[in-house]
Amino acid sequence: MASAKQQFEAWSHPFHSMHVISDLHAACLGAHDGKEGAAIIIGTGSTGTLWKDNAFKDVGGHGFPIGDKASGAWLGLKAVQHTLLCLDDLEPMDSLATQICAALQSNDTDTIVSQCATFNTHHYAALVEHMLPLLYNKQARVSALFQEGAQYIERMAGKLLTEHSHGLAMIGGLSSVYSTYFSDSVKARLVACKATPQEGAIHCAKAAYYQLKGEK
């Protein structure tokens, strides 16, 4: 968010100079070793970017719950919502609802609602570990949720990969799960990360330093 970046840059820091970069942009630079390319982070949240012509083009990353579709937090929230429908007898009880009740140690709607009132993204994302065994066993509701998430990530990838031939790096705990759903055209563009987000941030710092010195 531009306003958050401005507030950070207003900090009276003790350093010679300071350059602010998001974790997404640092991850993208690291993944491609400072060269042009796209990256999608899909873990607790979800977001993507393309580094091209010395500029970033972002997709998603609007934050939970209004954004971060397909993320661990989104999957966990959807699972809890489904569980509450089942407990209210609005949908048939299934193995997903049973698993979530076990994870939350309750099958009482009031208790679950009270728990979730204190939840943040990490609490919801933690429920994914209870969903993955059901996904591998092709439980219908879980499979449908991951399929919906995969379709979103595929659209994000398509947006980032249009009109250029750069590679796409997938980053985050759910990247290997979703990448199996991709079309052959997107799979053909996948590349392994060359470096870490921390190394991407260092690359950015070096570039900014040399720019201040008037060097390339």
Side-chain angles (χ1 to χ4, degrees), residues 12 30 52 57 62 68 73 80 83 98 125 132 135 139 168 179 196:
S12 182
K52 188 175 183 293
K57 177 182 179 182
H62 307 305
D68 287 357
V80 171
T83 300
T98 301
L132 287 176
L135 174 66
Q139 197 272 349
L168 169 65
S179 61
T196 65

Side-chain angles (χ1 to χ4, degrees), residues 206-216:
K206 287 181 176 179
Y209 172 75
Y210 290 125
Q211 186 176 17
L212 283 174
K213 293 183 64 177
E215 301 176 11
K216 293 185 178 180

Side-chain angles (χ1 to χ4, degrees), residues 81-133:
Q81 291 173 338
H82 170 76
T83 300
L84 291 172
L85 289 173
C86 293
L87 293 175
D88 282 340
D89 292 326
L90 296 174
E91 288 193 16
M93 197 72 179
D94 61 9
S95 54
L96 173 58
T98 301
Q99 278 281 71
I100 297 302
C101 285
L104 299 178
Q105 299 182 332
S106 178
N107 60 0
D108 176 72
T109 56
D110 285 347
T111 301
I112 292 174
V113 170
S114 295
Q115 285 188 63
C116 291
T118 65
F119 274 16
N120 58 31
T121 56
H122 298 286
H123 290 104
Y124 284 112
L127 296 175
V128 173
E129 68 176 284
H130 302 280
M131 301 171 67
L132 287 176

Side-chain angles (χ1 to χ4, degrees), residues 40 149-159 178 181-187:
I40 291 177
Q151 289 172 354
Y152 171 74
I153 300 300
E154 170 94 14
R155 293 200 305 271
M156 182 187 290
K159 182 72 173 178
Y178 280 122
Y181 289 86
F182 288 163
S183 63
D184 290 341
S185 60
V186 171
K187 286 181 179 179

